Each structure stands twice: as structure tokens, then as C-alpha cells.
């Protein structure tokens, strides 16, 4: 058996190896070894040269169609045409897109983005590159919120009746943003060791004795956020689409491809569009350098969280007496954690947040069982709860605890009831259950710090803090810092 110090050292060692390995992997992503050869020796050496180095005149065309593949210009609509396209200049344009009847009936609409020579139609250009992206996605619509006291207007009732049967069924949503990138570096690849992530976006052509890769066109799917989605109604004939373009470096392109693959993998494992959106926000809303710093901070946060969790579990596992410990504070922490979990569940929060919250709630329930000296015996399918007895010192602690809770209730209960009444009058909710959970969680967030007072009162009366889990407190303080 490993001692506690040995186990902690092992965890810290594994953590250090993990950080070092992650740094090495990230370096391998952002750094690509170039092909060190001259143009004359490039053909023999297997180098792949950039076609953009020839500075061709390019044109950007965006088409829409309900088909996932097209062979000619039939049944497609041109929505954006940028002549004399400058790959170095960023732009953003908003266009109105005609929505076909098939798409309005819960169908899919695709965008075909072509980068081709100026003055030549894309299907007549042998050196064109294109990429396809769906402009629609399927999501369960968010339930409508109403004022629980005044109800809803007749218009709202009619609209609600239309969607009653479809509330639990995914419907088509419009992606109102399309973000394009072109890799602009005149980078010469080594043909014998092309990066697999970029290779699938590359199209090669033979020009004389050398091999060239055509412009690498990329769609930034991480910029497609849930907040930008719009429900497609059957009466809608046109919807706005914001097309934005910016150049991208090779290092950032490779990093972005890996991140998009990671988000796609999450969805393949059953994570919803909303779950994936939580991950997208980490990358899209953060500068890359700040993101790297955030990674290291988050890694240390995870380490201290784990050590705090380990020491907290060890403390309560060995706990046999509640002398000097506020039972009311333990009950409050349990109540708070369960309420926050139910609130996150009601808000259909990402599984990335919901699962840790659920585990935390189970641990707090286990602590309550230890604090109340509760045993559970099953009589068939019916549980029977038995509570242990307290000794004189524990009873003295309970007296101080009850006294502190009595004074606290004079302040806490009126504030919570007043806040719940105010939200009932002024805030809209999906149901009475939603109002109840929101009222509880608002009380937890607003006044939860007050429940430290019973433990502080017990510490003051007993003139001691030796009974507290100081190791766990220390790691939690480092984690929060």
C-alpha cells in the first residue's frame, strides 16, 4: 500500500509528465518542418510548392443548394461573388439567402464555397478548390418562458400550440454565420512527410517538373455558436447570412483543425450541439496566447481540485465524531450542491458541467450520512433509516450550532422569501418547478456565504479549529486562487 505522501508525490509526478507531454504535442501541431530545397531541386527532392506564390488572380463564389453533392450549375443559387479576391484582406458581408421549401420543411441547406481563377466559372476551372458546409443544424427548441401569475397572451398561446408537439423533437435551425479562411503562407511542404491534418484539405497539381498545392480553403466551424442559430419557420422565405473572411497562418490552421476534430469527437460520443458549443467558446472567445496561459492555470486548478477532493474524502472517511463540526453547515452545503445540480439540469446545461456537479452532489449526500451517523437498512424494497447517538461533547457542539442557526434564520429566511416573491412577479419561467429551483439557487448564490457563520460560531465557542480538514481547505484555497 502506498502512503499518503507517496500517493500525492505520484499524482504530482503524473501531472508533470502530462503537462510536458501536452506541450510537446502542441509544439508538434503548430510547428511544421519545411522542405529545405531549391526550386530546381524541388522536383527531385519531393517538395510541394505553394500555388499562391504565383500570385494568381482569384475569385470567391458562394452557392447554396439542398443537395449534398453537385455536378453542374443546375439547382444552385449564387449568394455571394467576390471578384478580384485579395487573400490578404479581411472582409465581412451580410447577404439574404433564399430558403427553399424543402429546407423550411425541416430539410438541410448546404453552402458550396469555391475559390477559383477570376473570370472562369468554378466547374470550368481545373485548378479550383471548394469546400462544403451545411447552413442548417438540428436542435430541440428551447421551451417558451411565461409569467406564472399573469399567464400568456392569446398570440403566445397560439404560437405555443403550434410547437407543443415538437418541443421534444429536433427542428432545423439556421446558421447565420459562415467564417472562411485561406492559408496565406508561402510554405514549402516536404512531400514525404505531409501533416495528416492539413493533407486532407490540400489539392495537388503538377506544373512542369514540380508539384504545387492549390490554395488551402478552410471553414471555421468553431465560430458557429448556438447563440447565432435561428429557428427556421415554414413561413420564412429569406434568412440573413454573414460571410466573413480572414487569412490564417499554417500553425493556427493546424491547431484549429485539431480543435474542430476534438469537438466533432465529443458529438460522436453523444454530446449535444449545446455541449459542443461550451467547448467552442473556450477557443473562439479567447486569444491563443491567453488560451495557452489558461491551459496551464486550468491544469494546476485541476491538480489542486483533485488533491482537495482526495483529502476531503480521506478526512470524512475517518471521521467518527462530530465534535467541533457544524452539522447545519454540512446540511447546507449538501442542500446547496443538490439545488445547483437540479438548476443545471433544468437549464439543460452542458454535460461537461452537469456530470461534475452531479458527482459533487453525491459526495455531499455521503457527508450528510456521516455527519448524522445514519445507517440504511433495507426491508425488501423499503429503506429504513437509523441514526446514531451523540456523546456529551457532540451535544454541546449541536447546542452552539442550533444557537447560531437560530440567529441566522432571522436574516436569511425573509431575504430568500422576498427574493422568490420578487422573481415571481417580474421574471418569466417555464414552469412552477423552474421558478422554485431558480428561487432556491438564487438564495444559494446570494446568501450562501452566510452559512459559514454556524461553523465560525462553533469555532469561537469551542476556542479551537483543530477539528477542521485543513489540508482540503488549503488545496481548495490554492485552486480558487
Amino acid at each position: 500500500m502506498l502512503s499518503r505522501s507517496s500517493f500525492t508525490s505520484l499524482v504530482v509526478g503524473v501531472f508533470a509528465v502530462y503537462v510536458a507531454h501536452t506541450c510537446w504535442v502542441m509544439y508538434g501541431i503548430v510547428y511544421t518542418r519545411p522542405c529545405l530545397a531549391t526550386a530546381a531541386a524541388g522536383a527531385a527532392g519531393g517538395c510541394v510548392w505553394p500555388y499562391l506564390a504565383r500570385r494568381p488572380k482569384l475569385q470567391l463564389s458562394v452557392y447554396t443548394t439542398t443537395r449534398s453533392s453537385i455536378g453542374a450549375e443546375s439547382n444552385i443559387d449564387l449568394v455571394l461573388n467576390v471578384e478580384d479576391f485579395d487573400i490578404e484582406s479581411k472582409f465581412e458581408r451580410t447577404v439574404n439567402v433564399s430558403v427553399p421549401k424543402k429546407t423550411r420543411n425541416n430539410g438541410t441547406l448546404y453552402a458550396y464555397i469555391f475559390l477559383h481563377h477570376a473570370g472562369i466559372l468554378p466547374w470550368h476551372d481545373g485548378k479550383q478548390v471548394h469546400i462544403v458546409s451545411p447552413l442548417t443544424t438540428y436542435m430541440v427548441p428551447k421551451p417558451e418562458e411565461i409569467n406564472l401569475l399573469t399567464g400568456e397572451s392569446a398570440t403566445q398561446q397560439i404560437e405555443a400550440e403550434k410547437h407543443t408537439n415538437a418541443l421534444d423533437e429536433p427542428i432545423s435551425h439556421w446558421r447565420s454565420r459562415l467564417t472562411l479562411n485561406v492559408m496565406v503562407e508561402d510554405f514549402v511542404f516536404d512531400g514525404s512527410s505531409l501533416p495528416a491534418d492539413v493533407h486532407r484539405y490540400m489539392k495537388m497539381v503538377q506544373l512542369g517538373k514540380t508539384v504545387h498545392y492549390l490554395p488551402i480553403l478552410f471553414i471555421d466551424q468553431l465560430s458557429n455558436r448556438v447563440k447565432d442559430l435561428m429557428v427556421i419557420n415554414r413561413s420564412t422565405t429569406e434568412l440573413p447570412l454573414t460571410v466573413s473572411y480572414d487569412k490564417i497562418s499554417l500553425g493556427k490552421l493546424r491547431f484549429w483543425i485539431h480543435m474542430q476534430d476534438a469537438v466533432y469527437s465529443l458529438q460522436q460520443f453523444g454530446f449535444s450541439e449545446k455541449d459542443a458549443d461550451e467547448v467552442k467558446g473556450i477557443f473562439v472567445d479567447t486569444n491563443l496566447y491567453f488560451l495557452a496561459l489558461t491551459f496551464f492555470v486550468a491544469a494546476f486548478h485541476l491538480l489542486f481540485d483533485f488533491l482537495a477532493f482526495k483529502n476531503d474524502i480521506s478526512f470524512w472517511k475517518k471521521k467518527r465524531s462530530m465534535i467541533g463540526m457544524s452539522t447545519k453547515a454540512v446540511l447546507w452545503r449538501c442542500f446547496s450542491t443538490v439545488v445547483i445540480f437540479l438548476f443545471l439540469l433544468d437549464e439543460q446545461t452542458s454535460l461537461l458541467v452537469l456530470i461534475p456537479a452531479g458527482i459533487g452532489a453525491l459526495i455531499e449526500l455521503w457527508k450528510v450520512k456521516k455527519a448524522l451517523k445514519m445507517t440504511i437498512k433495507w426491508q425488501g424494497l423499503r429503506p429504513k433509516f437509523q441514526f446514531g447517538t451523540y456523546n456529551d461533547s457532540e451535544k454541546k457542539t449541536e447546542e452552539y450550532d442550533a444557537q447560531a442557526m437560530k440567529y441566522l434564520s432571522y436574516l436569511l429566511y425573509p431575504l430568500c422569501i422576498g427574493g422568490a416573491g420578487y422573481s415571481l412577479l417580474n421574471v418569466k419561467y417555464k414552469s412552477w418547478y423552474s421558478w422554485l429551483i431558480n428561487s432556491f439557487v438564487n438564495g444559494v448564490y446570494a446568501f450562501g456565504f452566510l452559512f459559514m457563520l454556524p461553523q465560525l460560531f462553533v469555532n469561537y465557542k469551542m476556542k479551537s479549529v483543530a477539528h477542521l480538514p485543513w489540508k482540503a481547505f488549503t488545496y481548495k484555497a490554492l485552486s480558487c486562487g
Side-chain angles (χ1 to χ4, degrees):
M1 294 288 291
L2 287 173
S3 65
R4 272 184 256 168
S5 59
S6 299
F7 181 76
T8 302
S9 300
L10 177 63
V11 170
V12 173
V14 171
F15 168 77
V17 171
Y18 166 74
V19 172
H21 173 72
T22 302
C23 292
W24 175 252
V25 170
M26 294 302 297
Y27 173 77
I29 291 175
V30 299
Y31 174 76
T32 307
R33 184 171 62 87
C35 184
L36 302 176
T38 62
C47 294
V48 183
W49 300 84
Y51 184 74
L52 285 177
R54 293 171 167 251
R55 301 297 181 258
K57 290 185 178 180
L58 299 174
Q59 183 173 333
L60 181 72
S61 302
V62 180
Y63 296 86
T64 60
T65 179
T66 55
R67 299 182 178 184
S68 58
S69 61
I70 57 174
E73 52 184 310
S74 58
N75 298 318
I76 61 174
D77 294 322
L78 178 64
V79 296
L80 179 64
N81 186 30
V82 183
E83 298 179 354
D84 297 326
F85 176 63
D86 182 7
I87 60 172
E88 296 287 344
S89 302
K90 64 186 299 185
F91 71 81
E92 181 172 291
R93 300 184 188 179
T94 300
V95 295
N96 289 323
V97 178
S98 177
V99 183
K101 184 178 180 181
K102 182 179 179 180
T103 303
R104 297 198 299 268
N105 291 331
N106 227 21
T108 303
L109 189 67
Y110 297 92
Y112 279 76
I113 301 94
F114 290 89
L115 187 60
H116 54 100
H117 287 92
I120 305 176
L121 290 174
W123 30 85
H124 296 159
D125 185 4
K127 296 184 180 64
Q128 58 84 15
V129 292
H130 72 275
I131 196 165
V132 186
S133 177
L135 294 176
T136 55
T137 187
Y138 293 93
M139 281 186 61
V140 176
K142 187 177 180 180
E144 189 177 0
E145 296 179 344
I146 62 172
N147 188 300
L148 297 174
L149 294 181
T150 60
E152 56 187 3
S153 64
T155 304
Q156 289 174 316
Q157 287 179 348
I158 293 171
E159 197 66 30
E161 288 171 2
K162 291 181 181 178
H163 297 292
T164 298
N165 296 329
L167 278 179
D168 296 327
E169 299 177 4
I171 65 173
S172 192
H173 285 65
W174 179 255
R175 287 176 168 167
S176 60
R177 295 193 65 86
L178 184 64
T179 305
L180 309 176
N181 303 112
V182 172
M183 201 278 286
V184 297
E185 289 185 31
D186 291 337
F187 189 86
V188 182
F189 287 94
D190 186 346
S192 62
S193 59
L194 285 173
D197 43 27
V198 180
H199 191 196
R200 67 177 187 261
Y201 289 91
M202 297 174 71
K203 182 179 178 181
M204 314 291 189
V205 292
Q206 184 82 32
L207 298 177
K209 295 183 179 180
T210 57
V211 178
H212 288 69
Y213 64 92
L214 296 176
I216 299 177
L217 181 61
F218 178 72
I219 296 180
D220 183 3
Q221 300 288 3
L222 295 179
S223 296
N224 291 330
R225 305 296 306 281
V226 169
K227 64 183 180 181
D228 297 322
L229 295 178
M230 303 165 61
V231 177
I232 300 177
N233 298 318
R234 294 189 177 183
S235 59
T236 304
T237 57
E238 283 190 344
L239 284 170
L241 176 65
T242 301
V243 181
S244 58
Y245 166 79
D246 197 4
K247 61 184 179 181
I248 191 171
S249 65
L250 176 59
K252 184 176 180 181
L253 173 64
R254 294 191 62 194
F255 179 76
W256 236 233
I257 290 173
H258 279 271
M259 295 307 103
Q260 287 192 174
D261 289 347
V263 171
Y264 177 76
S265 298
L266 289 177
Q267 292 175 305
Q268 293 300 106
F269 279 109
F271 285 75
S272 66
E273 181 89 18
K274 189 174 182 180
D275 298 329
D277 187 70
E278 299 285 341
V279 180
K280 289 180 182 180
I282 297 173
F283 304 107
V284 175
D285 300 334
T286 310
N287 178 277
L288 282 181
Y289 296 105
F290 185 71
L291 181 63
L293 177 63
T294 303
F295 163 75
F296 285 106
V297 173
F300 281 99
H301 176 82
L302 182 64
L303 173 65
F304 291 129
D305 261 353
F306 175 79
L307 294 175
F309 168 80
K310 167 190 167 292
N311 282 277
D312 197 27
I313 293 295
S314 299
F315 174 83
W316 282 96
K317 191 175 181 180
K318 296 183 296 182
K319 194 72 175 171
R320 296 290 182 267
S321 171
M322 286 299 291
I323 297 175
M325 295 290 292
S326 170
T327 305
K328 301 295 188 300
V330 176
L331 288 169
W332 168 251
R333 280 197 302 271
C334 177
F335 173 77
S336 302
T337 310
V338 171
V339 162
I340 291 172
F341 172 74
L342 294 175
F343 169 75
L344 295 173
L345 191 63
D346 184 60
E347 292 293 312
Q348 299 178 344
T349 307
S350 166
L351 291 174
L352 299 172
V353 178
L354 194 61
I355 292 175
I359 295 173
L362 291 175
I363 292 172
E364 292 300 329
L365 287 169
W366 172 72
K367 289 182 185 179
V368 168
K369 177 177 175 295
K370 295 283 291 184
L372 298 179
K373 300 184 178 181
M374 182 191 304
T375 56
I376 303 174
K377 294 184 178 180
W378 292 90
Q379 297 178 344
L381 296 176
R382 188 177 61 182
K384 183 179 180 182
F385 299 96
Q386 294 181 344
F387 297 90
T389 57
Y390 290 157
N391 57 36
D392 292 339
S393 297
E394 289 175 316
K395 288 179 181 178
K396 195 68 176 176
T397 301
E398 282 297 307
E399 288 179 12
Y400 297 146
D401 198 14
Q403 187 179 358
M405 194 62 202
K406 177 182 176 183
Y407 298 143
L408 183 61
S409 64
Y410 296 153
L411 174 65
L412 188 65
Y413 294 159
L415 289 174
C416 289
I417 294 172
Y422 176 83
S423 63
L424 181 62
L425 293 171
N426 297 281
V427 182
K428 294 180 179 180
Y429 296 98
K430 293 178 290 186
S431 62
W432 286 98
Y433 171 78
S434 182
W435 165 75
L436 185 65
I437 290 297
N438 273 268
S439 299
F440 280 140
V441 84
N442 287 336
V444 167
Y445 286 143
F447 312 116
F449 69 95
L450 294 176
F451 269 86
M452 294 188 295
L453 295 178
Q455 183 63 63
L456 293 175
F457 187 77
V458 170
N459 295 343
Y460 169 73
K461 286 291 187 179
M462 301 194 71
K463 311 297 183 186
S464 174
V465 292
H467 40 267
L468 298 176
W470 283 108
K471 276 191 176 181
F473 285 170
T474 302
Y475 286 127
K476 285 181 181 179
L478 290 172
S479 174
C480 294

